[in-house]
Amino acid sequence: MSIKPKFTERKYLLVLIFVTSLFLMWGISMTLGDTLNKHFQNVLHISKSRSAYVQLSIFGAYFFMGIPAGIFMKKFGYKGGVLLGLAFYAIGAFLFIPAADAESFTFFRIALFILACGMATLETVAHPFVASLGDQRTSDQRINFAQAFNGVGGIIGPAVGSYFVLKAGQEHSNDLISVKHLYIIIGFVVAGVALLFSFVKVPKLTDPHAVSNDSYAIPGGEEADKSLFKHKHFVFAAIAQLFNVGAQGGTWAFFINYGREVMHLTDEHAGYYFSFSMVMMMVGRFAGTALMRYIKPYKLLAIFAGCNILMCIIVAQAFGWPSFVALLFINFFFSIMFPTIFSLGLKDMGAKTQQASSFIVMGVVGGGLFPLAMGLVANYNVATAYYLPIICYLVILMFGVYYPKLNKRSA
């Protein structure tokens, strides 16, 4: 009778709690960007397609920073990578001060890019970090658990943004002062977290991906010298992540526009529904983590991708509340996709795990590219734009279906 692997060990508990809080922090920033998208449309008088450059600035940083963050992490370790990411995060937040004073969309994009370089660094570090805090057989569960708190941050982000930035009738509803004040607070909080983490002692870690009963542990084994890009499951995971985050970026970028134009809600109330959709995502992540004890992760990924294809079709019909409810459910089914694709891509990568993590993070650039295409359609009809993510979910569905053939060792 085999012993069921533990979720984690007691010696890793404090570090796991701290690293999980990082998922919360970038969840806040990621969804705050989508409230800024709508606010910039209102205050700086830019089109939907041009406002999508907010997402390009955020997600483009992931493409730019993925490999450098991986190299830095390899040289200075997980803790050094976390501190670097928090430093970029805080600097980017404080740059909102001169950007707001100049009322410059370009300056805001520069600030967002630097802040997102911090987010990309944290994400590159945090996933393999969490995976290392226990047995590889439970790495899917740990990453999905940590990503659930990314969902909590996703709830807080649009709720805060809707109240302090999008709320009509307040003193600074038509300027950028509230944006500046909000990011000053964020900057100080992030700097404080960095200071605290600098005092946290990280136990010696043995990467579970690099040590197992497979040929990675055998000098000269057939897998030992296998090129990174010959691992088919990793390559397909990087592609799937590109399309996955593309669907996420587009869905979130125009959620508030959909609420305003199709459901005739105010920006503020549409923002609150956006926050509620993040509750759906958090519930989906906890539910997904539980379901993975009974359903293989790649099978559950395929099922959820199929469900989102159906949701997108309903959303694009602009049926009123049935379509809006389907838009909310996209986040529920989207919930497990990012962490599951990430974890499946890192399976059995051995000493190449950190390098593979960098490339998968680079795939996040899809979240900057896909909203540009959706924005061009949304300029004419925001509901019709939701046909486009179907392409992304078809790619994810194929990844889930074909995963056992791509990585027979983990099937």
Side-chain angles (χ1 to χ4, degrees), residues 237-292:
I239 295 169
Q241 202 68 287
L242 176 76
F243 282 92
N244 173 52
V245 184
Q248 170 195 308
T251 299
W252 292 0
F254 302 108
F255 185 105
I256 295 173
N257 287 106
Y258 191 98
R260 183 64 181 263
E261 297 173 26
V262 176
M263 301 304 299
H264 309 295
L265 302 169
T266 64
D267 289 346
E268 179 190 357
H269 285 101
Y272 290 140
Y273 276 108
F274 182 38
S275 180
F276 179 71
S277 78
M278 296 299 162
V279 175
M280 300 283 284
M281 186 170 76
M282 183 180 67
V283 171
R285 284 209 171 120
F286 283 118
T289 301
L291 286 171
M292 283 179 193

Side-chain angles (χ1 to χ4, degrees), residues 243-244 247-248 251 300-317 319 322-323 326-335 337 370 383-401:
F243 282 92
N244 173 52
Q248 170 195 308
T251 299
L300 194 63
L301 179 68
I303 292 168
F304 276 29
C307 290
N308 260 359
I309 290 172
L310 177 61
M311 295 301 106
C312 286
I313 292 172
I314 296 172
V315 170
Q317 306 312 306
F319 285 143
S323 292
L327 181 58
L328 296 173
F329 265 96
I330 286 177
N331 261 12
F332 178 88
F333 294 116
F334 169 77
S335 60
M337 293 182 183
F370 206 75
T384 302
Y386 279 87
Y387 277 121
L388 295 183
I390 292 175
I391 300 168
C392 302
Y393 293 119
L394 283 171
V395 174
I396 298 165
L397 176 64
M398 290 173 61
F399 175 66
V401 169

Side-chain angles (χ1 to χ4, degrees), residues 22-173:
L22 302 179
F23 286 78
L24 174 77
M25 290 169 58
W26 79 64
I28 293 173
S29 284
M30 190 71 75
T31 51
L32 260 178
D34 296 297
T35 60
L36 290 178
N37 186 309
K38 188 63 175 73
H39 191 61
F40 289 154
Q41 290 176 34
N42 296 340
V43 177
L44 299 177
H45 309 293
I46 57 177
S47 67
K48 296 185 188 73
S49 55
R50 188 159 182 244
S51 73
Y53 281 99
V54 168
Q55 276 67 35
L56 181 60
S57 299
I58 294 173
F59 292 108
Y62 280 75
F63 182 80
F64 175 83
M65 201 66 190
I67 291 178
I71 293 171
F72 187 91
M73 173 174 61
K74 189 171 183 178
K75 186 172 183 179
F76 297 100
Y78 291 128
K79 184 173 182 178
V82 168
L83 293 175
L84 177 67
L86 291 173
F88 274 124
Y89 197 143
I91 291 168
F94 287 128
L95 283 176
F96 269 66
I97 300 171
D101 291 341
E103 297 185 353
S104 168
F105 184 54
T106 300
F107 207 153
F108 272 116
R109 288 181 57 205
I110 293 171
L112 280 167
F113 179 81
I114 294 172
L115 185 151
C117 281
M119 292 163 58
T121 302
L122 292 175
E123 198 144 354
T124 302
V125 175
H127 284 89
F129 201 169
V130 169
S132 297
L133 297 174
D135 194 296
Q136 181 181 353
R137 289 171 293 176
T138 55
S139 64
D140 298 302
Q141 295 174 36
R142 281 193 302 279
I143 292 177
N144 271 281
F145 175 79
Q147 277 281 358
F149 288 89
N150 178 263
V152 175
I155 296 167
I156 296 171
V160 169
S162 297
Y163 185 79
F164 289 102
V165 177
L166 296 180
K167 187 174 183 180
Q170 62 176 328
E171 183 181 357
H172 298 297
S173 58

